[in-house]
Amino acid sequence: MKKLLSIITLSLIIGIGVSNAQNQRTVVLECFTSTTCGPCASANPALDALISNNADQLIAIKYHVNWPAAGDPMNLHNPGDVSAKVSFYSINAVPYSVGDGTWIGNSGSVSQSLVNQWAAVESPIEMRMTHYFNAAQDTMFVVVMGKATTAINSENLRLNISVIEKTMEYASAPGSNGERIFHNVMKKLLPGASGTGIRAMEAGDYFAYKYSWALANVMNVSELTAVAWLQDSNTKQMIQGCKSSDDFQPFYGKQAKISSLDHTMKTVCSSRVNPDIFVTNFGSETINSLSINVTVNGTNIGDYTWEGTIATGATAKINFGVLSFEDVEILENNEMIFEITQINGAADDYAPDTYKYKFNEASLVINKPFKLVLRTDDEPQLITWEVTNTSGEVVVSGGPYEEAHKQYTDNFELNSDDCYMFTIYDAGGNGLQGGNGLYGLKVGSQTIASGSAFTDRESNEFAYSTNDDVAETLANNANIYPNPSNGLITIDVEGTNIMTIYTTAGQLVYNQSINDKTTVDLSKLEKGTYLMVLTDKDGQNTKQVIVLQ
């Protein structure tokens, strides 16, 4: 026990010391060059030597522009990211460099004294970074994190990541200036040229991100690395730079984040979802178990436990099956929150991570035909779709398609009251994004579901009634949920109401006096659509109720 107390005491002392500490800053030098620029060939040797001599305190990124003449192959590999940086710094000549984000001048003017000057400025944040490749060596993953040791009072912080190829050597000069060997060539900015927004940070605040890039136009995979920098996008002042390292050590032992969800729905009427949850391990300790709590609109719907293995920097796909929330009131706008409550049986060393997923109440369609308008992408033979009822039965389907980049229209009708799910599939796993594909499920001028960016499938729900007499918009103060339901519903009203339920033919099948929030059991009614009339001292209100038993 005495030894344990000594360790805790030492940790507290270290923590207090770090809270007001500054960090050695890594200098960021962004260079603009081109294989069609004669002066660039003259300036680059000395510039490269300066970069090499300061490898312990400087990172360099070289952007290849498409002037003074077009044709630089390294620009052609990624002209968009280069153009964004040219615009950001208002670069209009090469060879030019940007040091510390604020010094802009001829690359030949970058000197050791300038590097020393920039490096002498202490940083309020420590950053750590690593990268790795998948087994096929065709995708690169980058993990970066930072922890503030003093406050950073800026609302314009951006975390920038660049994949660079350290050396590219051509057999013959690819441009007109005679250069064959190029260093620190920017291949891709992650997740894009504008980086990732970071909130103002207090001492002790922390961030961690993971990015991926499908390799493209790489000469030698072994020459790839990554660099990162935190910058004020308004003043352009550099806060800190960072290099990828094999000696990467996370700040915390237990630390995980939910990075994304897949197979969610934007509209729900069944009170059920079945998402894939992607969890990334940002801690030094291998994760063997996770506990995740799920709430909907503030109501707890379950605590779920997962067991498996997630190594440091790795991401696992977790699926708990169908998450049901039939006892929760479904509003026009809803929020489901996932919170990691435990890692390996203990709390996160930093803070519990939460992920919010928002969805809307599904649209109600009244006895109208449907039209699916679909513009195919590059691989139409991989696209299919279907509509299923609450029993999981496929009631209508379509695809695959034959012609790429062509608009198809499929019309269909439904003949039973239910909560239906529309699902579109892409066997290639990239949705309709290749070749500007797009889909839209429509009822008249109303769009029920639409999109293009998804993985292997995307689903949304809608409620359908065959009764023409049911109003699509019923204004009253009563909340009824879940609706549709399996019969057990909650009615939230003010004061005392007389509730009467009729078939769509007008037959009275149920009546009851209710007061404020009341749960009633309609499971003995046959499956179908009913009209609920609520009568109080001020008059009557009518609601449609769908029983799915």
Side-chain angles (χ1 to χ4, degrees):
M1 179 63 73
K2 184 175 181 180
K3 181 178 180 181
L4 176 60
L5 290 174
S6 298
I7 293 173
I8 293 173
T9 303
L10 178 61
S11 298
L12 290 173
I13 293 172
I14 293 173
I16 293 170
V18 169
S19 65
N20 294 307
Q22 293 283 321
N23 306 283
Q24 175 64 46
R25 189 166 65 149
T26 298
V27 176
V28 181
L29 183 66
E30 298 173 86
C31 312
F32 296 82
T33 186
S34 171
T35 62
T36 67
C37 159
C40 295
S42 300
N44 277 330
L47 182 63
D48 290 335
L50 180 68
I51 294 169
S52 178
N53 292 336
N54 289 275
D56 59 336
Q57 63 177 352
L58 181 146
I59 60 176
I61 309 101
K62 289 197 175 182
Y63 306 108
H64 281 247
V65 302
N66 65 341
W67 31 271
D72 186 314
M74 288 156 284
N75 174 267
L76 295 175
H77 291 166
N78 188 352
D81 283 352
V82 173
S83 179
K85 287 300 180 181
V86 166
S87 177
F88 182 71
Y89 290 115
S90 300
I91 299 298
N92 55 20
V94 283
Y96 253 56
S97 291
V98 178
D100 200 36
T102 56
W103 181 93
I104 301 179
N106 190 287
S107 294
S109 299
V110 181
S111 64
Q112 185 64 54
S113 61
L114 278 174
V115 173
N116 293 341
Q117 174 186 324
W118 298 327
V121 179
E122 293 182 321
S123 176
I125 189 169
E126 181 183 358
M127 289 172 59
R128 300 175 183 179
M129 185 179 192
T130 192
H131 73 276
Y132 63 93
F133 301 92
N134 64 347
Q137 294 279 293
D138 60 7
T139 302
M140 180 176 179
F141 299 93
V142 177
V143 178
V144 62
M145 53 187 63
K147 185 176 182 181
T149 50
T150 58
I152 308 175
N153 298 315
S154 171
E155 299 297 333
N156 304 296
L157 297 177
R158 308 296 296 186
L159 175 64
N160 300 278
I161 311 290
S162 177
V163 176
I164 61 174
E165 194 160 356
K166 292 178 289 184
T167 300
M168 298 180 66
E169 183 173 353
Y170 287 82
S172 59
S176 59
N177 69 357
E179 288 184 286
R180 288 192 313 105
I181 302 174
F182 306 91
H183 300 286
N184 304 306
V185 178
M186 187 278 294
K187 309 301 293 185
K188 176 63 180 173
L189 298 176
L190 298 173
S194 60
T196 300
I198 303 293
R199 295 180 179 179
M201 304 179 73
E202 298 294 332
D205 284 354
Y206 157 88
F207 63 76
Y209 292 96
K210 179 180 177 180
Y211 305 93
S212 64
W213 177 52
L215 305 190
N217 303 306
V218 175
M219 185 174 287
N220 187 343
V221 174
S222 65
E223 288 293 320
L224 291 180
T225 190
V227 295
W229 62 100
L230 187 65
Q231 182 176 25
D232 187 308
S233 62
N234 185 29
T235 65
K236 297 181 172 57
Q237 180 67 50
M238 291 293 176
I239 310 298
Q240 181 63 290
C242 183
K243 297 180 180 181
S244 179
S245 171
D246 293 335
D247 298 326
F248 172 76
Q249 179 65 31
F251 289 100
Y252 300 101
K254 295 181 179 68
Q255 214 285 297
K257 292 183 181 295
I258 299 174
S259 54
S260 64
L261 300 183
D262 196 12
H263 302 147
T264 57
M265 294 188 290
K266 300 173 185 174
T267 56
V268 176
C269 57
S270 67
S271 297
R272 294 175 296 178
V273 295
N274 187 1
D276 291 327
I277 306 166
F278 291 86
V279 177
T280 300
N281 181 8
F282 288 111
S284 60
E285 184 177 316
T286 297
I287 294 176
N288 296 310
S289 68
L290 285 170
S291 296
I292 297 179
N293 173 257
V294 185
T295 62
V296 176
N297 297 340
T299 299
N300 181 40
I301 68 167
D303 293 279
Y304 301 88
T305 300
W306 173 88
E307 293 183 353
T309 301
I310 314 177
T312 297
T315 301
K317 181 175 75 172
I318 297 172
N319 186 283
F320 295 118
V322 174
L323 307 179
S324 178
F325 43 96
E326 293 183 352
D327 294 332
V328 178
E329 178 182 3
I330 301 302
L331 309 173
E332 183 177 352
N333 301 300
N334 306 273
E335 183 175 72
M336 178 176 282
I337 299 178
F338 298 80
E339 180 180 356
I340 299 176
T341 56
Q342 287 194 325
I343 301 170
N344 295 340
D348 193 304
D349 288 337
Y350 176 66
D353 180 65
T354 59
Y355 189 96
K356 297 180 180 180
Y357 150 55
K358 297 182 182 295
F359 62 93
N360 297 326
E361 183 180 19
S363 301
L364 172 62
V365 179
I366 308 298
N367 200 22
K368 293 179 181 178
F370 294 81
K371 177 172 65 175
L372 177 67
V373 179
L374 188 148
R375 185 171 67 240
T376 55
D377 61 357
D378 296 330
E379 298 179 295
Q381 72 278 5
L382 302 180
I383 303 300
T384 57
W385 60 270
E386 65 184 20
V387 176
T388 55
N389 59 23
T390 51
S391 299
E393 176 188 2
V394 177
V395 296
V396 64
S397 61
Y401 298 90
E402 296 181 355
E403 295 187 42
H405 314 139
K406 177 181 177 179
Q407 180 169 305
Y408 289 86
T409 300
D410 294 311
N411 298 288
F412 63 91
E413 296 184 11
L414 300 174
N415 54 25
S416 297
D417 298 355
D418 208 340
C419 173
Y420 290 91
M421 179 187 294
F422 169 82
T423 303
I424 185 167
Y425 299 91
D426 172 37
N430 67 339
L432 290 168
Q433 298 175 82
N436 297 317
L438 183 70
Y439 80 89
L441 178 62
K442 299 177 178 293
V443 178
S445 61
Q446 180 186 7
T447 299
I448 302 298
S450 64
S452 62
F454 56 95
T455 54
D456 60 321
R457 71 179 189 271
E458 179 172 82
S459 300
N460 284 289
E461 292 182 340
F462 60 90
Y464 182 79
S465 174
T466 57
N467 181 17
D468 290 322
D469 296 328
V470 176
E472 293 191 48
T473 303
L474 299 172
N476 60 60
N477 296 323
N479 291 318
I480 302 173
Y481 57 93
N483 188 22
S485 76
N486 289 324
L488 196 66
I489 64 173
T490 297
I491 306 165
D492 192 356
V493 294
E494 293 184 2
T496 300
N497 282 248
I498 301 299
M499 177 196 69
T500 52
I501 296 179
Y502 300 87
T503 67
T504 55
Q507 178 186 3
L508 175 64
V509 292
Y510 191 94
N511 71 302
Q512 179 182 334
S513 175
I514 61 174
N515 188 59
D516 296 326
K517 182 182 289 187
T518 306
T519 299
V520 298
D521 187 357
L522 304 179
S523 60
K524 293 183 179 181
L525 298 180
E526 294 182 359
K527 177 180 178 179
T529 301
Y530 296 86
L531 299 181
M532 176 184 291
V533 179
L534 298 169
T535 305
D536 63 8
K537 60 183 177 61
D538 296 319
Q540 291 185 338
N541 291 313
T542 303
K543 271 283 192 180
Q544 174 191 252
V545 176
I546 300 177
V547 177
L548 302 176
Q549 62 168 340

